[in-house]
Amino acid sequence: MSKQVYSIIFFIVFTTLNAQNYTPTLQNYKSYKAFKGKPLSDKFSNIESVKVIYNLKSQKMYYFNSSLIRLHYDFVTDYLGYTKGLDVFNDDNYSDTEKGRDFLLGNLNHIKGTEKWVFELAASDHMPIVLIERFYNLVVQSAFMGKDLKFYLNNPEKLQWNQENKFKIPCVKSNYIFDEITYQEVVSGSNVGILKQYKIKELESITPHPDEIIILDGTPDILPNVRGIIVNELQTPLSHLVLLGKNRKIPIMAYTTVLKDANIKKLLSKKVELKIAVDTFYIKESTKKITQKTIKKKKKLIVDNSVTYLVDLDKIPKKGVNYIGSKAQNLSYLIAISKEIPFKTPENAHAIPFYFYTSHIQKKSISPLIQELLAYPHRDSVLWIHKQLKKIRDAIKKEPIDPDLIAKLNQTFKNAAFKNFRFRSSTNAEDMDDFNGAGLYDSKTGIIGDSVKTFEKAIKQVWASTWNEASYTERELFGIDQQSIAMGVLVHRSFPDELANGVIITKNIFRENFSGITVNVQKGENSVVKPEKGEICEQFVIYHFNTGTGADDFDVDYTSNSNLNKNEPLLTRKEISTLFVVSNKIESKMYRYWRKNLFHPVDIEFKIVGENRDLYIKQVRPFNE
């Protein structure tokens, strides 16, 4: 066969293969489905996506196979003959001008199970409005959904333009997508267990078996010791359920219609395998063996009762974690860091050491109750255990507190500018590398001179929470010696005037191997980690994209906006910039204090406070993945 014939055959094969990988139009859903892939970011569950490119020079449209070709850059280099490097490509084609651009780059997203189609640019793409509208109209003309397509506003710049009515195309915010989401990966993974269904109320008197995968009609306050959990409420990514689930390393998902799903109902009381991924889940009957959990050796915690005075956190306590707990010790580090970096920490911060708690629970009305609980042979009797825990809490709150402690607090805060103080748990079993303890213990407010919200009442309520059902159960599960638990109390001024509060994880939790930090923030004092039913917080990722590394050279990618703030941003760009700079510096400095390598992200809690919208950092701990 001649070389000419070989060349013709090669050309035909090459052209055919390329034709299978891209197309100038999408005639129907079948053609979309053939090219769809998983979005690069996992910020939304239940989304499928096709990447699209418009070549400005040739004026040609390309929808390409987004499963085989993951990046726009890969397509232009492999199929369109682009020869410049990635940095140049990013700088030119995500800029705020048409000059120097070779391409318009976008994503055509579909919310599975709906007729909703969303056109999205990268949050780092600063394409001017005239080009956005041109690109949108080109997609409308070449794709089958036509004018049903909406443009998604995913960064502050686009939200601002929309607020100023600059767009002439139909635009939507995150609520357009969230309103349709019925499935959400909470903690990915897989497990085999017996599928059972419970009402939240039933968990007060029934303990699910450790071999079970359970379905619940809400979000539990106490995370049962089971092999997997399905709830019917969507979760905020940094909620206590999520953090405790990650710590437990058990698969958890939210599925809003789970109680009505006939296929799942057929599997109740059967052995099933549950697999949870970002964009879908699988549950089917299984013959696989249920692997038994190994019983951990009891872990005895360190308790140093030698410190008998109120600890001023303005000075870093030496080995304070052994006598005031991790939370208080970490705040002392934050106070030191705040003297170098522009953020505030809660004023008048002190710690009540373990000594006072240990002395209190040794009283005759309390100690025998604790010993009876820990010696009780029938640990599976949830009703008895819950009753005993309540007896312990009631006894702790009933016994009078050491008057010297109250005198020390009154003396310390007599000239303080604040009257309201927050008393927060700081045990030796929370905020650790291998034990998060999120939401297990209580915080209470005490007010100087108040006859109801007294310091004594607040302290005893925090001490009593050592024996909450959730905290006791979690320690049992992790093999912590209950005899060695000790409660320190972190005290600082409270924040009745907070404008917003939030959580930062110094990692892009939605995109693997991609830089950034993840922020959840909510209006006022409404909780991010334990939201009321129906509340959606503001959520975004901040990251450096282009080659610059300055304080203002960052991009913001919104996943959601607060429905308590009319889906408008809660934070200004300047405030977001400050969060970005401060959180990365805190991460770096905390790992020096902890004397650990800088390879794990940290979990930071913050507030925006007062007329000047001051940034307060109130807590930092390791983020357990």
Side-chain angles (χ1 to χ4, degrees), residues 44-254:
F44 293 118
S45 297
N46 215 35
I47 296 286
E48 52 193 9
S49 181
V50 168
K51 291 179 176 58
V52 55
I53 290 177
Y54 181 69
N55 189 327
L56 287 164
K57 290 175 180 167
S58 68
Q59 297 187 21
K60 288 183 179 180
M61 184 76 86
Y62 299 90
Y63 297 93
F64 61 88
N65 190 319
S66 302
S67 292
L68 295 177
I69 308 160
R70 294 286 289 155
L71 303 174
H72 290 97
Y73 178 72
D74 293 341
F75 182 80
V76 300
T77 53
D78 293 344
Y79 293 88
L80 302 185
Y82 186 81
T83 57
K84 298 175 185 176
L86 179 60
D87 287 344
V88 175
F89 174 81
N90 288 341
D91 287 339
D92 289 347
N93 293 288
Y94 291 94
S95 69
D96 60 0
T97 178
E98 183 174 355
K99 187 179 180 181
R101 272 184 183 258
D102 297 292
F103 311 102
L104 304 182
L105 313 169
N107 300 281
L108 184 54
N109 299 330
H110 177 232
I111 306 171
K112 294 180 186 177
T114 76
E115 294 301 318
K116 286 189 173 182
W117 296 86
V118 178
F119 183 52
E120 182 181 17
L121 307 182
S124 50
D125 194 334
H126 301 283
M127 190 184 295
I129 291 175
V130 63
L131 283 185
I132 293 174
E133 293 180 340
R134 180 182 171 189
F135 196 12
Y136 166 85
N137 286 317
L138 286 166
V139 174
V140 167
Q141 292 161 20
S142 59
F144 66 95
M145 73 289 304
K147 292 191 177 180
D148 289 337
L149 186 65
K150 312 295 183 188
F151 179 65
Y152 176 47
L153 306 166
N154 62 356
N155 69 12
E157 186 176 47
K158 297 182 184 83
L159 285 163
Q160 181 65 33
W161 288 341
N162 184 64
Q163 206 171 44
E164 295 167 358
N165 296 313
K166 290 185 176 180
F167 282 112
K168 296 174 185 175
I169 57 176
C171 299
V172 294
K173 300 175 187 175
S174 59
N175 59 309
Y176 182 79
I177 300 173
F178 262 93
D179 289 346
E180 297 294 342
I181 291 178
T182 59
Y183 166 73
Q184 177 190 40
E185 169 235 14
V186 177
V187 181
S188 63
S190 64
N191 236 334
V192 176
I194 308 300
L195 187 65
K196 289 293 184 73
Q197 183 174 314
Y198 297 92
K199 287 181 166 55
I200 291 291
K201 189 73 178 171
E202 291 177 325
L203 297 182
E204 295 176 6
S205 56
I206 298 173
T207 302
H209 195 273
D211 284 352
E212 292 175 358
I213 292 171
I214 63 172
I215 299 170
L216 298 174
D217 64 344
T219 302
D221 289 330
I222 303 171
L223 204 60
N225 176 23
V226 290
R227 301 189 63 76
I229 298 175
I230 303 172
V231 297
N232 69 341
E233 293 178 339
L234 298 178
Q235 302 293 311
T236 56
L238 305 180
S239 72
H240 286 153
L241 176 68
V242 176
L243 297 180
L244 288 173
K246 286 182 183 293
N247 213 37
R248 295 257 195 103
K249 295 179 173 57
I250 59 170
I252 302 178
M253 60 179 262

Side-chain angles (χ1 to χ4, degrees), residues 406-418:
I406 301 302
K408 288 175 182 178
L409 287 165
N410 287 331
Q411 178 64 29
T412 300
F413 299 137
K414 69 177 182 179
N415 295 320
F418 308 95

Side-chain angles (χ1 to χ4, degrees), residues 565-577:
N565 199 48
K566 299 178 180 178
N567 291 303
E568 295 295 338
L570 286 163
L571 303 180
T572 66
R573 183 171 174 84
K574 184 177 180 182
E575 288 167 343
I576 292 172
S577 173

Side-chain angles (χ1 to χ4, degrees), residues 549-565:
T549 55
D552 295 323
D553 182 42
F554 64 90
D555 291 292
V556 180
D557 187 356
Y558 282 107
T559 301
S560 62
N561 298 108
S562 168
N563 61 353
L564 302 183
N565 199 48

Side-chain angles (χ1 to χ4, degrees), residues 6-17:
Y6 274 123
S7 298
I8 292 169
I9 292 171
F10 176 79
F11 176 77
I12 291 170
V13 172
F14 181 76
T15 305
T16 303
L17 288 173

Side-chain angles (χ1 to χ4, degrees), residues 364-624:
K364 290 181 180 179
S365 64
I366 304 171
S367 181
L369 293 174
I370 295 175
Q371 297 311 315
E372 186 181 6
L373 169 71
L374 302 185
Y376 188 64
H378 305 295
R379 291 291 184 90
D380 57 346
S381 175
V382 65
L383 277 176
W384 186 90
I385 289 173
H386 285 189
K387 285 180 182 178
Q388 190 72 2
L389 287 168
K390 186 177 185 304
K391 285 181 184 178
I392 295 168
R393 293 195 300 270
D394 289 345
I396 288 172
K397 288 185 273 191
K398 188 175 180 180
E399 279 289 341
I401 208 164
D402 183 343
D404 286 344
L405 173 58
I406 301 302
K408 288 175 182 178
L409 287 165
N410 287 331
Q411 178 64 29
T412 300
F413 299 137
K414 69 177 182 179
N415 295 320
F418 308 95
K419 298 296 180 185
N420 293 17
F421 287 83
R422 196 68 171 162
F423 293 79
R424 302 168 59 201
S425 70
S426 183
T427 68
N428 54 354
E430 62 184 312
D431 293 4
M432 301 187 298
D433 280 328
D434 56 352
F435 191 82
N436 180 289
L440 298 182
Y441 309 101
D442 295 343
S443 297
K444 297 294 177 180
T445 296
I447 304 173
I448 292 176
D450 193 281
S451 60
V452 178
K453 291 192 172 185
T454 63
F455 282 2
E456 177 170 357
K457 183 178 180 181
I459 293 166
K460 289 194 292 186
Q461 284 176 316
V462 176
W463 281 347
S465 72
T466 308
W467 301 99
N468 282 344
E469 285 84 357
S471 54
Y472 170 81
T473 302
E474 201 72 10
R475 293 194 301 268
E476 279 290 291
L477 183 62
F478 276 81
I480 292 173
D481 181 2
Q482 303 277 8
Q483 293 275 15
S484 63
I485 183 70
M487 174 72 82
V489 182
L490 171 59
V491 190
H492 56 66
R493 72 95 152 188
S494 69
F495 294 90
D497 57 345
E498 63 189 277
L499 303 174
N501 75 99
V503 178
I504 303 165
I505 304 299
T506 55
K507 174 185 178 178
N508 185 339
I509 65 174
F510 299 114
R511 188 168 175 184
E512 196 173 354
N513 300 320
F514 197 81
S515 65
I517 68 168
T518 305
V519 180
N520 283 191
V521 58
Q522 186 57 284
K523 186 176 182 179
E525 60 181 18
N526 296 280
S527 179
V528 164
V529 294
K530 201 173 181 181
E532 295 294 327
K533 193 176 181 70
E535 289 183 358
I536 297 172
C537 70
E538 180 166 295
Q539 177 181 301
F540 53 86
V541 173
I542 318 170
Y543 58 92
H544 285 303
F545 179 72
N546 292 327
T547 51
T549 55
D552 295 323
D553 182 42
F554 64 90
D555 291 292
V556 180
D557 187 356
Y558 282 107
T559 301
S560 62
N561 298 108
S562 168
N563 61 353
L564 302 183
N565 199 48
K566 299 178 180 178
N567 291 303
E568 295 295 338
L570 286 163
L571 303 180
T572 66
R573 183 171 174 84
K574 184 177 180 182
E575 288 167 343
I576 292 172
S577 173
T578 302
L579 282 183
F580 192 34
V581 171
V582 164
S583 60
N584 282 317
K585 288 184 178 178
I586 288 174
E587 180 192 63
S588 176
K589 289 184 178 292
M590 285 305 297
Y591 275 92
R592 291 179 193 172
Y593 282 121
W594 290 332
R595 296 183 181 178
K596 296 176 184 177
N597 294 325
L598 185 63
F599 64 95
H600 283 306
V602 296
D603 173 337
I604 298 168
E605 292 188 20
F606 71 93
K607 294 180 183 292
I608 304 294
V609 178
E611 290 182 4
N612 296 326
R613 297 182 65 89
D614 294 317
L615 171 64
Y616 277 80
I617 305 293
K618 57 168 278 196
Q619 183 171 313
V620 62
R621 61 185 170 195
F623 178 61
N624 298 322

